[in-house]
Amino acid sequence: MDNNKTIEYDYIIGADKNIRDILKVSDITPLLQSAVKAGAAYAAIEDDTGKALYQHSGISESPSSPEVTVKKPLYIEGEVAGYIIVKADDGIINTIGELMLASINTILKSSYKALLATETHKTVVHQSFEELLETNRKLIQSENKYRELANSLEKTVQQRTEELRQAHAKLLTQEKIVSIGQLAAGIAHEINNPLGFILSNINTLKQYVSKMKGMLVFYRDAVEKGTVEKELLGQKWKKLKLDFVFQDIEDLITESSGGAERVKKIVSDLKGFSHIDEAKEADADINKEIDRTINVLVHEIPGDAEIIRNYHEFPLFACNPADLCQAFFNIILNALQTGTKGLKLTITTGYSNGNIRVSFSDNGPGMPEDLRNRIFEPFFTTKEVGKGTGMGLNVTYEIITSYGGTIDVESKPGKGATFTISLPVTERAKQI
Amino acid sequence: MIEYDEFENRMILKLVYYGPALSGKTTNLLRLHDLLEKQGRGDLTVLDTKNDRTIFFDLLPFFLVAPSRLKIKLKVFTVPGQVKHDATRKAVLQRADGVAFIADSQLSEETTNFESFKNLEENLQFVGLDIEEIPLVIQFNKRDLKNTITEADIKGTWGPTGIPVFLSSATEGWGIVETFGTLVGQAYDHIDKKHYLKDKHGLDKETFIQQLTRKINEVSIIPSPLAGEG
């Protein structure tokens, strides 16, 4: 029961009662009748204002002796509440008067007590009933509240789950952006080098062109003036070092086109890796996709590292090839970034029982079991703060599992690590 | 306040004697009835007691008239102390103008005293009365018995609350009128604040207390016009 709730009762214990509330006709009438029977000419009860409430008159007879009126007060709670009026012969008036007064006061007293008890009882019962109703109302209210809460809880959980899913998706996208950024930095460096010497070569070629132009202008002028002399022409040729220029031009062009080829290859590798010109869904040759991934990582491969490709033939795999490259990228990059001297990364592909299996096995530092169990969790990283997002292998995990595949890792400290990916080949893909 | 009828010029006030079962609430009223002048009060109505235990309530009314002709009726009630009559206690407490808490001094009754006082706090709140506001006095009754809580302990517990505390023996008849007089005085202050008993009705506190606590064989100075016999 809420204590702040106050209940106002209709009947306040202690409220005044008047004589009419207390005395009933059925109680009083016989008494008044008896008084008349006993010889009174008139018997009545008045309220405190003098208004007659109950009265009874006898048959008018010629009085044998003078008629006398008696008026006596009636009390409730000690206050005058009314009067009793009796008219009778002088001889009997006192007897009847006293008798009536005693009887009516007794009735008044006991009726008053009975009335108080009844009113109190009614109030208490009413109050208890009101309290029960109130309790019931509150119970229903709280039941509804909890039901609503239960309903909204389900909704809230769904909502939060959706929010988490979206946040995770957003993080995955961010991870892609981060790795693309890393990739772009490496690639930029790769492209910058050939581009540098190509630009430098073009500059040199510009100078060579002006030298040749000089020679040609000298020759044309000489022809126009008719002063063409073998010796003079020879001197000019020598001065402009045209023998060297012609030989160097050949080297410069060869070198520049080599550089351009390199840039072209890098761009094409990048395009291959990103599958930017392809449809989202394609049937991919996993071996080729691994190669594409390695190609864009060339700049990350230390000079003393060795990558052993142990490829086998198997069906094409229906997928988004860019996704798959991303998955391989994170595993290969991790291996390359272990800082192992004389790194040996063996990539084995194969097919058995409808599953394409790809394993990446390195001779790096490996990892203890507690780490091993957590590497696919989002935000888990062993790199310094700010260096790793902790999302790389989680992205790989998300991609592989989205194709119904599995990814496992076997590793022991100092014994390298082997990541094994298993991808189920669908019926449709096998027919191709 | 049970009723205030400005048109009829009358006011009915309610004081309640609260406390645990058998702490002497009814005996307090009986003693007031015996000790105080018949003029100015009505008879004691005892409603249905059973084995010395009140199951409804007792009622002792007092009457006085202010110089402004305002008729004031003061009804003093007891509540049933037994735990099971809580609903009756709530009903009686409704619109009370003051409460006398009658505690049983016997050491064995300490817990029941506290429980009953807690019950009073709860029920006051229930009927919308503020325990900080309502006139309240405490009486430690049965001081004539042995094994009672010491005066020092009572002062230690209740002194800091600022609530007036009285020691009494209702059976021996002492401490009763003092408790009643103080409660009546507090009730006067409380009502005077709202209804200007002194300024509007010419009734000052001393007269009010004196009118309600005249002992038998003290000379009555102002006879009450409403006095009567029950």
Side-chain angles (χ1 to χ4, degrees), chain A residues 365-381:
Chain A
M367 63 196 109
E369 192 183 342
D370 57 332
L371 235 77
R372 208 173 63 216
N373 291 334
R374 301 194 54 195
I375 52 170
F376 298 118
E377 286 176 22
F379 308 114
F380 183 80
T381 179

Side-chain angles (χ1 to χ4, degrees), chain A residues 1-17 74-80 105 109 112-118 120-125 127-128 131, chain B residues 1-3 10 12 14 41-43 45-48 56-57 59 61 63 71 73 75 77 86-88 90-92 94-95 122 124-129 226-230:
Chain A
M1 186 93 213
D2 189 346
N3 278 329
N4 294 325
K5 168 85 186 172
T6 58
I7 292 174
E8 187 76 20
Y9 310 109
D10 296 341
Y11 171 69
I12 299 297
I13 289 176
D16 267 356
K17 293 286 173 193
L74 295 167
Y75 294 97
I76 298 172
E77 289 180 2
E79 267 187 313
V80 176
N105 263 330
K109 228 175 196 174
Y112 169 65
K113 274 183 162 190
L115 184 70
L116 279 190
T118 315
T120 307
H121 188 68
K122 259 162 67 185
T123 306
V124 167
V125 169
Q127 170 199 326
S128 307
E131 279 179 38
Chain B
M1 186 172 299
I2 297 169
E3 193 186 328
R10 75 195 176 124
I12 307 176
K14 183 192 267 190
R41 64 157 177 79
D43 258 355
T45 305
V46 177
L47 267 197
D48 290 5
F56 284 113
F57 51 79
L59 165 60
F63 317 103
K71 288 181 215 159
K73 197 193 268 191
K75 296 189 179 184
F77 287 87
D86 197 44
T88 310
K90 283 176 187 161
V92 174
Q94 180 83 14
R95 295 208 204 168
E122 286 165 5
L124 280 173
Q125 197 182 10
F126 183 87
V127 299
L129 293 170
L226 279 177
E229 289 175 62

Side-chain angles (χ1 to χ4, degrees), chain A residues 326-384:
Chain A
Q326 176 80 46
F328 299 145
F329 178 89
N330 292 329
I331 295 175
I332 298 169
L333 185 66
N334 272 355
L336 295 177
Q337 286 179 341
T338 53
T340 312
K341 277 187 181 164
L343 176 76
K344 232 179 171 182
L345 176 63
T346 310
I347 303 171
T348 310
T349 62
Y351 179 71
S352 69
N353 299 325
N355 285 302
I356 295 169
R357 293 169 67 86
V358 183
S359 74
F360 301 85
S361 194
D362 68 42
N363 60 344
M367 63 196 109
E369 192 183 342
D370 57 332
L371 235 77
R372 208 173 63 216
N373 291 334
R374 301 194 54 195
I375 52 170
F376 298 118
E377 286 176 22
F379 308 114
F380 183 80
T381 179
T382 57
K383 292 176 187 168
E384 305 171 36

Side-chain angles (χ1 to χ4, degrees), chain B residues 72-99:
Chain B
I72 300 174
K73 197 193 268 191
L74 179 76
K75 296 189 179 184
V76 185
F77 287 87
T78 62
V79 296
Q82 283 174 285
V83 175
K84 63 177 175 184
H85 294 308
D86 197 44
T88 310
R89 275 195 295 280
K90 283 176 187 161
V92 174
L93 210 50
Q94 180 83 14
R95 295 208 204 168
D97 297 287
V99 175

Side-chain angles (χ1 to χ4, degrees), chain A residues 293-333:
Chain A
T293 307
I294 294 169
N295 286 344
V296 294
L297 279 167
V298 162
H299 59 282
E300 292 280 355
I301 302 172
D304 60 348
E306 191 187 350
I307 293 180
I308 300 148
R309 292 167 219 230
N310 187 12
Y311 293 169
H312 295 88
E313 287 302 314
F314 45 80
L316 298 176
F317 184 69
C319 63
N320 177 349
D323 271 0
L324 222 53
C325 284
Q326 176 80 46
F328 299 145
F329 178 89
N330 292 329
I331 295 175
I332 298 169
L333 185 66

Side-chain angles (χ1 to χ4, degrees), chain A residues 406-420:
Chain A
T406 58
I407 176 163
D408 292 308
V409 60
E410 269 174 65
S411 182
K412 269 179 190 164
K415 294 266 170 84
T418 301
F419 287 85
T420 306

